[in-house]
Amino acid sequence: MEGRQVGQVYVSRKLGFTPYHTVWVPCSTRVVALGSFGHGGGQIGKMCVMHLYHGECRTLKEWEKPQPLRCATMGACSSQSRLLVTGDFGGRLQAWDLERAEVPVLSVNAHSTIINQIDGCGSTVHGEGTGPPEVVSASRDRQVCLWDIRQGDRESVHIALQNDIFSVCFGGDWQSRLIATGDETGNIAIFDLRRPQTCFWTCQLSSAVASLQFDSKTSVPSHLLATTTSSETHLFDWARVANDGACPRATARHKQTDTPMTVWCGRFGPQNTLLTTNHEGTLYRYETDKLDSIGKQRIGKHPLLCLDLHPSRPNLLLTSGLDQTVRFVSVSS
């Protein structure tokens, strides 16, 4: 079944800049794309809000920023304010009101160099009781920082690690919040925020960890998904982790070429499946039970750096890549 298509490319839109990250605005058909473009012999940032409307993707607003923007999350936004939090190449963590994003509502010199990835939790868009609005950031400076966006520029937790941190994510409910990190050597480390300075679980993969995701931020997670720079996707059965740290794991490998390629992003999808994007512009779809491939589809000729599923319509997928194109994919049942 590996040749089965993942879905239909519903709409595609060419941009005038390279989008490093795209994200849905909750409870809407709006999306945000952010990245960089050439300007005066260098690179500056670009942020663009678009609207999916009757089969077209229309630009609503766009802004230029001093630094290229690397990553973003809306996981900490409230139902009253749709705050977008971004990390840039200069190490700044910033929060933006998308109605007037000329100036950030919060700007923190969070790291000394590029913020590789951020994640958010505590959003009240889909209900209360999910804990404080927090953002975790991971950087090339080997630091992981936790921020309560209500507290301004004061970090809540600071974790110093040994290597460049490529990926980071939240998991679990607000009373037992977990942070997972993945670094350039392939090491995954998990921290419990009740005892944040102690790593209580670790695993060594064969290459750098490109992305991480737990399957829940509102309850005890059952699975941890990790993708790497050597064509591999790993699914850890977190519900069955043993006292000695042993955790059942399934592994899948992209087999299009003999040369290892980066699996840039992995996300849990609808109907007990998960989706990944790779360096050749291909979407893969797997069953979560055994990580069996149930479909693949090449939708571009360049790396697909990210993907995001609509919070209310999980069959609607957003992805973008180095061909400067945003694509909306309707995932098949």
Side-chain angles (χ1 to χ4, degrees):
M1 296 182 64
E2 190 171 301
R4 184 176 177 182
Q5 284 199 336
V6 174
Q8 178 184 1
V9 179
Y10 178 59
V11 178
S12 62
R13 165 75 187 277
K14 193 78 172 178
L15 303 174
F17 65 97
T18 301
Y20 294 125
H21 201 106
T22 47
V23 61
W24 287 101
V25 178
C27 301
S28 78
T29 55
R30 292 182 297 161
V31 301
V32 184
L34 52 92
S36 71
F37 72 103
H39 182 79
Q43 294 286 318
I44 65 172
K46 190 70 172 285
M47 183 190 302
C48 179
V49 179
M50 296 171 286
H51 183 206
L52 186 62
Y53 181 77
H54 289 302
E56 295 183 11
C57 182
R58 301 177 179 178
T59 298
L60 299 178
K61 298 179 181 180
E62 55 185 356
W63 303 271
E64 294 180 0
K65 302 301 174 187
Q67 287 278 352
L69 300 169
R70 176 62 185 91
C71 49
T73 181
M74 297 202 75
C77 70
S78 71
S79 54
Q80 289 77 35
S81 60
R82 301 289 196 269
L83 286 183
L84 174 78
V85 181
T86 63
D88 70 19
F89 278 49
R92 282 181 297 185
L93 189 79
Q94 296 175 303
W96 309 88
D97 180 345
L98 293 178
E99 297 300 323
R100 38 191 174 275
E102 293 83 5
V103 179
V105 299
L106 172 67
S107 185
V108 181
N109 291 321
H111 296 273
S112 61
T113 186
I114 181 173
I115 298 176
N116 289 321
Q117 206 167 99
I118 61 177
D119 193 20
C121 66
S123 172
T124 60
V125 172
H126 299 291
E128 301 294 334
T130 53
E134 294 177 315
V135 172
V136 62
S137 57
S139 170
R140 184 182 293 168
D141 66 6
R142 307 176 182 181
Q143 311 297 312
V144 175
C145 298
L146 179 71
W147 310 86
D148 184 332
I149 60 175
R150 303 168 302 179
Q151 303 297 321
D153 60 357
R154 185 175 64 185
E155 64 184 8
S156 303
V157 173
H158 178 270
I159 302 170
L161 298 175
Q162 299 298 312
N163 299 292
D164 184 349
I165 311 303
F166 279 15
S167 52
V168 68
C169 72
F170 281 115
D173 61 25
W174 68 275
Q175 293 178 313
S176 56
R177 186 77 71 200
L178 304 175
I179 290 177
T181 66
D183 71 18
E184 61 182 334
T185 71
N187 182 259
I188 298 174
I190 297 182
F191 301 84
D192 187 330
L193 288 183
R194 294 170 295 187
R195 298 173 293 276
Q197 298 305 321
T198 302
C199 172
F200 80 91
W201 186 85
T202 185
C203 177
Q204 184 65 45
L205 303 181
S206 61
S207 62
V209 183
S211 75
L212 288 166
Q213 189 185 34
F214 280 109
D215 61 353
S216 179
K217 294 182 185 179
T218 58
S219 61
V220 177
S222 298
H223 294 91
L224 173 65
L225 174 62
T227 67
T228 73
T229 57
S230 59
S231 307
E232 293 178 344
T233 299
H234 301 270
L235 184 66
F236 295 89
D237 190 346
W238 189 249
R240 296 171 58 197
V241 63
N243 291 332
D244 63 358
C247 185
R249 172 178 47 168
T251 301
R253 183 177 175 86
H254 291 196
K255 299 178 180 178
Q256 286 177 282
T257 66
D258 293 330
T259 303
M261 68 180 72
T262 299
V263 185
W264 283 102
C265 190
R267 292 292 180 260
F268 289 96
Q271 301 154 356
N272 295 318
T273 64
L274 58 88
L275 299 138
T276 65
T277 62
N278 76 3
H279 198 74
E280 290 192 335
T282 303
L283 277 173
Y284 278 77
R285 193 180 190 189
Y286 301 93
E287 289 181 336
T288 55
D289 292 337
K290 299 180 181 179
L291 208 58
D292 291 332
S293 175
I294 55 173
K296 69 177 183 179
Q297 183 174 353
R298 193 169 188 181
I299 61 174
K301 297 181 180 180
H302 298 271
L304 298 174
L305 300 185
C306 66
L307 59 84
D308 191 32
L309 284 90
H310 194 286
S312 306
R313 304 173 184 174
N315 278 35
L316 190 55
L317 181 151
L318 169 68
T319 186
S320 61
L322 294 185
D323 59 357
Q324 300 190 347
T325 301
V326 172
R327 294 177 176 88
F328 299 85
V329 180
S330 178
V331 178
S332 303
S333 298

